[in-house]
């Protein structure tokens, strides 16, 4: 099996694991404060990544320079997850996943503003097709709702979160000063956990943690271990073996995975006319995968 194939398999698993957050998040979103839940998630994910960092020699002194970088990135990443679970209180999982596919478009815009990154015509076409498919799902395959811009509150809230996520991606490249991915991620998670705890202390203190239903703890464990720590490892593995456009392409596969997750969890699949928008996001995936030849495999830099 080639290194490029391994990278594609890693991103296939990555997209499936990320997709699981949407139906699980929708099932528990109204059971606990999104801020309290996300704060605890950051603490757990930080503990997992922190154990990896410690096993690899700890945090180097140079990584502690300019700690404001971690606070800025932690605020951006934390805002994304809080708004995600707030949006899932009312948004359908497939609709929320469709909103998430708009992130590459937003990220391309922020990338140009912060890094002057230029998007190739093929990638621009793929992003446009993916965005069209996402809008078709978000507006429930209703052209009248699209023309009147009748977007649901949950989708609107989550879109704000996706803007924070899209800003996070170019900010990482702009603010990283040579720190390894694990060390940098650990700093972001610690900073995010501190900020979320301070901001959400009232919700954390008033939450009756012992009375929460099991689905909250299941979702917490899943998002902390599989949708955070595991996806981080998979993403790092794939970025060493695939061009960035190919890694980004798998975002468009998430709505399809969400449908499969819903079926597996006994939930209703979306109507066929809504699923047509998911097909368009799949076409965007194909176009992005054809954008560049496979990157020459290289060895991962030690952390």
């Amino acid at each position: 099996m080639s290194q490029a194939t391994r990278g594609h398999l890693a991103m296939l698993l990555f997209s499936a694991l990320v997709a699981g957050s949407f139906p699980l998040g929708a099932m528990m979103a109204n059971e606990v404060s999104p801020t309290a839940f996300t704060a605890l998630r950051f603490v757990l994910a930080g503990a997992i990544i922190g154990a990896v960092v410690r096993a690899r020699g700890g945090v180097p002194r140079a990584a502690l320079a300019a700690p404001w970088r971690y606070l800025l990135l932690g605020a951006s990443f934390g805002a994304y997850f809080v708004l995600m679970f707030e949006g899932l209180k009312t948004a359908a999982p497939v609709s929320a996943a469709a909103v998430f596919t708009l992130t590459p478009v937003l990220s391309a815009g922020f990338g140009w503003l912060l890094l002057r990154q230029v998007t190739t015509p093929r990638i621009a076409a793929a992003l446009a097709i993916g965005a069209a498919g996402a809008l078709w799902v978000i507006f429930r395959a209703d052209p009248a709702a699209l023309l009147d811009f009748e977007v649901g509150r949950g989708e609107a809230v989550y879109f704000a979160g996706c803007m924070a996520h899209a800003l996070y991606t170019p900010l990482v490249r702009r603010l990283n000063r040579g720190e390894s991915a694990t060390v940098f991620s650990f700093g972001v998670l610690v900073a995010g956990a501190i900020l979320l705890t301070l901001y959400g202390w009232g919700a954390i203190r008033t939450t009756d943690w012992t009375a929460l239903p099991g689905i909250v703890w299941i979702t917490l464990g899943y998002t902390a271990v599989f949708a955070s720590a595991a996806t981080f490892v998979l993403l790092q593995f794939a970025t060493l073996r695939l061009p960035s456009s190919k890694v980004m392409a798998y975002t468009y596969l998430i709505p399809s995975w969400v449908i499969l997750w819903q079926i597996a969890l006994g939930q209703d699949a979306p109507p066929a006319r809504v699923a047509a928008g998911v097909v368009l996001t799949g076409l965007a995936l194909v176009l992005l995968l054809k954008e560049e030849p496979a990157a020459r495999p290289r060895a991962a830099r030690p952390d």
Side-chain angles (χ1 to χ4, degrees):
M1 183 183 297
S2 68
Q3 290 297 320
T5 300
R6 293 174 187 270
H8 285 295
L9 290 176
M11 286 309 300
L12 192 65
L13 181 57
F14 169 89
S15 61
L17 292 177
V18 170
S21 301
F22 291 94
L24 288 173
M27 293 170 68
M28 72 91 213
N30 291 294
E31 304 291 345
V32 65
S33 161
T35 306
F37 178 88
T38 305
L40 184 54
R41 173 187 177 175
F42 268 51
V43 169
L44 292 178
I48 295 171
I49 299 299
V52 175
V53 170
R54 183 175 181 180
R56 295 181 173 181
V59 179
R61 184 178 298 273
L64 300 177
W68 60 268
R69 297 177 296 153
Y70 302 114
L71 291 172
L72 180 59
L73 290 167
S76 176
F77 214 36
Y80 163 73
F81 285 112
V82 170
L83 293 171
M84 172 187 177
F85 291 115
E86 183 66 35
L88 282 170
K89 289 182 177 181
T90 55
V94 174
S95 294
V99 173
F100 185 66
T101 63
L102 296 175
T103 303
V105 179
L106 298 171
S107 186
F110 284 125
W112 183 84
L113 289 173
L114 295 175
L115 304 172
R116 288 298 185 263
Q117 292 178 333
V118 178
T119 301
T120 66
R122 183 185 290 272
I123 289 182
L127 294 177
I129 292 173
L135 290 174
W136 184 254
V137 176
I138 293 167
F139 289 99
R140 302 170 298 282
D142 184 352
L146 176 60
L147 292 174
D148 294 337
F149 207 74
E150 295 177 2
V151 63
R153 177 186 178 278
E155 287 84 354
V157 169
Y158 185 44
F159 179 75
C162 288
M163 289 188 68
H165 190 290
L167 177 62
Y168 175 84
T169 303
L171 275 180
V172 167
R173 179 170 292 187
R174 181 73 178 266
L175 299 179
N176 185 279
R177 298 182 179 180
E179 296 88 358
S180 68
T182 48
V183 169
F184 203 68
S185 296
F186 177 63
V188 172
L189 288 169
V190 170
I194 293 172
L195 292 173
L196 286 166
T197 300
L198 292 174
Y199 175 76
W201 180 246
I204 295 171
R205 184 171 51 83
T206 57
T207 298
D208 186 357
W209 295 98
T210 61
L212 293 175
I215 186 61
V216 174
W217 299 108
I218 292 172
T219 305
L220 178 64
Y222 180 87
T223 54
V225 177
F226 296 103
S228 292
T231 54
F232 159 75
V233 174
L234 290 168
L235 186 61
Q236 184 182 31
F237 179 88
T239 53
L240 294 172
R241 293 161 175 81
L242 298 174
S244 59
S245 63
K246 294 180 183 290
V247 173
M248 181 178 64
Y250 281 91
T251 299
Y252 291 106
L253 195 58
I254 291 176
S256 300
W257 279 119
V258 169
I259 293 175
L260 295 179
W261 268 95
Q262 287 187 283
I263 294 172
L265 292 172
Q267 302 173 7
D268 294 332
R273 68 178 189 277
V274 173
V278 176
V279 173
L280 283 179
T281 62
L283 178 59
L285 167 69
V286 173
L287 288 175
L288 284 172
L289 287 179
K290 289 183 176 181
E291 167 60 19
E292 304 176 46
R296 180 177 299 175
R298 59 186 177 90
R301 181 171 62 84
D303 287 335

